[in-house]
Amino acid sequence: MTPPDLSRRDLIYLTASGGLLGLGAPGSNAEAESQQAQARPEKRSVELTVNGERREFQIAPSVTLLDALREHLELTGTKKGCDHGQCGSCTVLVGGRRVLACLILAISEHQGEPIETIEGLARDDGVHPLQAAFVAHDALQCGYCTPGQIMSAIGLLREGRPADDDAIREGMAGNICRCGAYEGIVAAIRSISAGGVE
Amino acid sequence: MSLGDPIPRRDGPLKVAGRATYAADQHPQGIAYAAPVLSTIASGEVLSIDTRPAMQRAGVLTVLTPDNMPALGQLTDLKGGTLGEPRLPLSDRLVEYDGQLVGLVVAESLELANEAAALVQIVYAPGTPRSEIERSSDRFRPKDFYGIAELQTQRGDVDEALSASPFRLQHSYETSVEHHNPMEPHATTALWEGDRLIVYDSTQGVISTRNVLAHFFGLPAGNVRVICPYVGGGFGSKGYVWPRTILAAAAAKATGRPVKLALSRQATFSNNGHRGRTIQTVSLGADQLGRLIAIRHHTLTQTSLAGVHVEPSGIATGMLYACDNVAVSHEVARVTTGSPTAMRAPGEASGVYALECAMDELAEAIGMDPLELRRRNHAVSDPETGKPFSSKHLLACYERGAQAFGWSRRDPRPRSMTANGMLIGWGMASATYPANMRPSSARVEAEPDGRFVVTAATQDLGTGAYTILAQIAAAALGVPVEKVRCELGDSALPEATLSGGSSTSASVGSAVHEAALKLRTQLSAGGAPMAEAHHEPGELEKQYSAHSFGAHFVEVAVDPELAVIRVRRVVSAMDVGRILNHRTAQSQIRGGVVWGIGMALMERTGFDPATGRLVTRNLADYLVPVNPDVPEIQVILIDEPDPHFGPIGARGMGEIGITGLPAVIANAVWHATGVRVRRLPIVIESILHQL
């Protein structure tokens, strides 16, 4: 498909005014945007390949990949924890690499690259070995950060086998687990790291 | 298989597949999205709100403000529910804190709602904010903590005893405002079906939430259903009902559409509770043998202008050690922040920190090993009530923890231990948290295929409720646990208590145990395939003082040049009664320890003193422990069933892990560096210039 004709200026304007910033600092309320408000670009067509499936839909250019996945494609396995790239809950793989879905727009240069989310991880037998390892090592409690932890761990393992537990810890430093299941997370990744991962 | 077996977490497979559905994962047909408009001043009044620029955007459905917010029920008699903020959202034009909800936009899409919220124009008449305790002269002395514990107590003659003590010290210890920051920001999806309200809410209490909503919307409780199968962490911040839940229901009613209101991380900092700051003064008096003669513990803390919650830091002080003369007092300053609320071990987390730091300083003054000082002050019965403890194995915690840690090899002199150029410090402290039991019901049913289902209106916050309740039922039924499943998190199920105060095992667990025993008897007699039970504290529990205890041992390494503090290892020995699942139990304690590391070294919510506004409203400015911050945590579970607390003898363990841990780290930092830091969090600046 044709990439949307969106200028850099449009993007900066759109992201600054809401999309990427979520609510913005609650204080930036307003700065009087009422006249510009009427002139927003309309929705555009976007085509994403998510978990091997091509999805084409209409979307406002300001929508993040995270909101596109969750609210437009109803793939809610990817979680929103901060919307600022600070917690890692929304980690997905784009082109095989770890990406924070809240920090990129759905309409972006990543279009066309395969997107992998937690929903696409399970194999035919129902579960990916790393998912099983997370359960076996009690690498979760509330489960909210878990999809992001697992996708991040998949990305980490694809980047090369971590040398030791400290390398796993550093490699997973961008994924906060408020329940504090870090030891289990390290143990689960270690158990898979030894055998390699696809 | 039996009770205590470390079976894997029941909800694990769904969670690792991304298929566990949280409140903001709902997509009812015709959904609309809400975005809050938050105040940008911390004190004052809203003079006018112009919603026209927002309403002019195509796709904006409504903007709720104090001008058009429908009237809700009275603020009194909430019939078994509790508001986190005792004040109705959008009910007046007063602004009492930064980030207060002053409007709510509902639109066809999330991005449109967020954009339109930024278009709402508000004119304020600013007042004078006072976000710091020191600047508030509006103070009071609270009588009790929710009727559970007295907050002004005295036994013996503390003044007299202190002046007669061969060893005495007095120090002030400070803890910062902290925010729970569960990974799931607070969220609600609400929809109406005629006069029936259905709410998917991220809550620690579906029944409490149902009762509050029924009250405010003038509905019979049966017309409100609150559904919450999974909670993305709560830690107290989802215990009471906060404004967003009420507003989501009001917005759904106003628009006739299902409404999803998922707060941004920033918004969660203002009106979903926090732990109030504390300034605590602890005086200790002891004899030459280290025996405590007197303890005085005064806490100055804060609440909001309308608030009732206070951090009860002195709550464990009169109970933890044998001492004849103890005075505990609390004073509260009203400040212009959102309302504080219970946060993991409210009272003990902050108060045991101060007491256990003071104990370490006393040990230093006497020249006694800190562990030996605790042993010498061990209380055999509850010194506060005179009652026997229901069960207490604190001495075993000291012994097994010390042994596993290697405590006997500690050189008591500060700055005496080093490794690879780092200053090494070893610290220890006691941990404690009360055993709480509240009325709860549960049902157990036999299904035609030979399986069983346990139902209760409790919720699994990640604590393991799905898992341990199945184990309790299986043990009582005498069937393999594979045959039992749980359905929780729905107010339509048998009423159970709020998930707070580490109470689920003893409260809901006891009801499940009794329902399962009842069903077993019925089935063997050819009776009905379903049994329900209601459990509440009885005569047995009244005769005893029931508390959990533990001991933490920590090693820190401090870089002598950069003053960076790292926790290198932790040993936590815990006596929490019967262990229901050794795997999830270990994780609960580890989680508490990780919280203790955060409280000790990172967590602090800042306010701009000039404007009263929050300056740490995201996870880059408000730091919590991440993976490399957390070392190996060895958990030792004493696993002695409590014979005098409930039919199972499990006292709960969600909160004890954080208690004492910040003191252990402060004590270890002193041991490493010789610097006593009496304010949390201990950061680089706390010690840099004294190294």
Side-chain angles (χ1 to χ4, degrees), chain A residues 14 17-19 21-41 43 59-60 62-64 67 69-84 86-89 118-122 126-127 130-147 149-150 165-166 168-186 189, chain B residues 8-9 11-13 15-22 24-27 31 33 35-40 53 56-58 98-99 102 109-111 114-115 117-122 124 178-185 230-233 235 260 263-267 343-344 460-463 566 583-585 587-588 590-592 594-595 598 603 613 617-634:
Chain A
L14 284 163
S17 65
L21 293 181
L23 288 176
S28 68
N29 257 357
E31 322 304 273
E33 299 181 33
S34 53
Q35 290 101 13
Q36 300 143 341
Q38 300 310 306
R40 302 292 166 107
K43 286 185 177 181
I59 199 169
S62 62
V63 177
T64 61
D67 286 338
L69 290 170
R70 287 184 51 82
E71 308 300 340
H72 295 264
L73 300 180
E74 298 190 16
L75 289 169
T76 56
T78 305
K79 302 302 183 196
K80 183 185 284 189
C82 70
D83 219 15
H84 276 48
Q86 298 167 343
C87 78
S89 293
I118 192 73
E119 289 92 345
L121 198 57
V127 66
L130 190 62
Q131 290 173 314
F134 262 61
V135 175
H137 293 276
D138 210 29
L140 68 146
Q141 291 187 31
C142 83
Y144 195 81
C145 74
T146 309
Q149 299 278 1
I150 291 175
D165 283 0
D166 279 344
I168 295 175
R169 290 189 181 104
E170 281 302 326
M172 295 297 292
N175 291 81
I176 298 174
C177 170
R178 187 57 162 161
C179 297
Y182 294 123
E183 265 192 84
I185 291 167
V186 172
I189 296 171
Chain B
R9 200 174 284 276
D11 41 336
K15 286 176 173 175
V16 299
R19 289 191 287 119
T21 50
Y22 301 81
D25 295 342
Q26 302 297 328
H27 279 274
I31 191 167
Y33 293 82
V37 181
L38 303 176
S39 70
T40 56
Q56 281 164 12
R57 292 297 311 277
D98 177 31
V102 290
S109 72
L110 176 59
E111 44 279 6
N114 282 334
E115 285 176 28
L119 298 178
V120 174
Q121 311 284 311
I122 301 181
Y124 296 101
E178 293 183 282
H179 275 79
H180 311 70
N181 279 306
M183 293 320 296
E184 177 200 20
Y230 303 99
V231 188
F235 314 112
K260 185 192 293 194
L263 295 184
S264 66
R265 175 62 56 187
Q266 296 92 309
M343 180 165 170
R344 204 168 198 166
D460 189 328
L461 320 180
T463 48
R566 307 284 300 175
R583 184 189 310 243
T584 57
S587 293
Q588 284 277 85
R590 282 204 182 91
V594 172
W595 270 59
E603 299 187 36
R613 300 197 63 193
R617 59 172 92 232
N618 61 65
L619 293 170
D621 293 326
Y622 185 95
L623 302 183
V624 300
V626 297
N627 210 320
D629 296 320
V630 177
E632 188 192 332
I633 300 165
Q634 184 182 350

Side-chain angles (χ1 to χ4, degrees), chain B residues 52-387:
Chain B
R52 285 171 302 178
M55 288 299 293
Q56 281 164 12
R57 292 297 311 277
V60 172
L61 300 169
T62 191
V63 183
L64 292 177
T65 71
D67 296 334
N68 64 357
M69 175 72 182
L72 299 174
Q74 294 299 305
L75 210 46
T76 51
D77 187 21
L78 296 183
K79 300 183 187 75
T82 308
L83 287 181
E85 176 177 305
R87 191 168 174 243
L88 276 172
L90 309 184
S91 60
D92 58 44
R93 289 165 165 269
L94 292 178
V95 175
E96 299 190 341
Y97 56 89
D98 177 31
Q100 180 183 314
L101 280 149
V102 290
L104 187 78
V105 175
V106 187
E108 294 288 353
S109 72
L110 176 59
E111 44 279 6
L112 189 54
N114 282 334
E115 285 176 28
L119 298 178
V120 174
Q121 311 284 311
I122 301 181
V123 179
Y124 296 101
T128 309
R130 46 171 208 273
S131 57
E132 268 87 38
I133 289 175
E134 290 87 341
R135 294 176 63 181
S136 172
S137 55
D138 182 0
R139 298 188 177 189
F140 65 98
R141 289 193 170 241
K143 186 180 170 297
D144 58 28
F145 183 64
Y146 297 106
I148 304 167
E150 296 292 317
L151 293 181
Q152 320 287 342
T153 63
Q154 177 135 17
R155 67 171 181 261
D157 187 335
V158 174
D159 288 334
E160 174 75 29
L162 272 176
S163 59
S165 296
F167 291 98
R168 54 179 179 269
L169 57 80
Q170 175 178 316
H171 291 295
S172 279
Y173 302 90
E174 234 184 284
T175 64
S176 295
V177 171
E178 293 183 282
H179 275 79
H180 311 70
N181 279 306
M183 293 320 296
E184 177 200 20
H186 306 67
T188 304
T189 302
L191 60 113
W192 290 78
E193 289 175 354
D195 63 350
R196 302 178 75 83
L197 171 60
I198 298 167
V199 173
Y200 299 90
D201 196 40
S202 181
T203 177
Q204 294 171 233
V206 290
I207 295 297
S208 164
T209 304
R210 178 200 67 183
N211 292 350
V212 166
L213 291 172
H215 170 78
F216 284 123
F217 289 92
L219 300 168
N223 280 29
V224 181
R225 186 169 173 199
V226 178
I227 302 171
C228 179
Y230 303 99
V231 188
F235 314 112
S237 71
K238 295 167 180 173
Y240 298 146
V241 181
W242 294 96
R244 68 145 206 298
T245 302
I246 297 167
L247 277 182
K253 193 172 185 183
T255 57
R257 299 271 297 272
V259 168
K260 185 192 293 194
L261 172 50
L263 295 184
S264 66
R265 175 62 56 187
Q266 296 92 309
T268 67
F269 274 84
S270 52
N271 47 30
N272 297 277
H274 54 266
R275 194 195 304 281
R277 185 177 153 219
T278 71
I279 303 166
Q280 305 173 53
T281 308
V282 179
S283 310
L284 299 180
D287 66 15
Q288 276 90 351
L289 296 174
R291 291 176 305 204
L292 286 166
I293 298 171
I295 307 173
R296 184 191 299 286
H297 190 169
H298 178 70
T299 300
L300 174 59
T301 184
Q302 64 185 53
T303 195
S304 62
L305 297 189
V308 293
H309 184 90
V310 302
E311 175 74 9
S313 301
I315 206 166
T317 302
M319 180 278 303
L320 189 52
Y321 294 114
C323 181
D324 291 336
N325 305 288
V326 180
V328 171
S329 54
H330 294 79
E331 186 180 16
V332 184
R334 291 201 183 275
V335 293
T336 52
T337 68
S339 291
T341 196
M343 180 165 170
R344 204 168 198 166
E348 288 81 4
S350 56
V352 174
Y353 151 69
L355 180 62
E356 287 295 87
C357 283
M359 287 293 278
D360 206 66
E361 302 205 43
L362 180 63
E364 181 197 356
I366 300 176
M368 182 177 284
D369 177 74
L371 176 55
E372 181 57 25
L373 179 68
R374 268 89 177 175
R375 280 204 195 98
R376 292 196 179 185
N377 288 286
H378 184 259
V380 176
S381 59
D382 183 346
E384 193 158 58
T385 62
K387 291 180 185 178

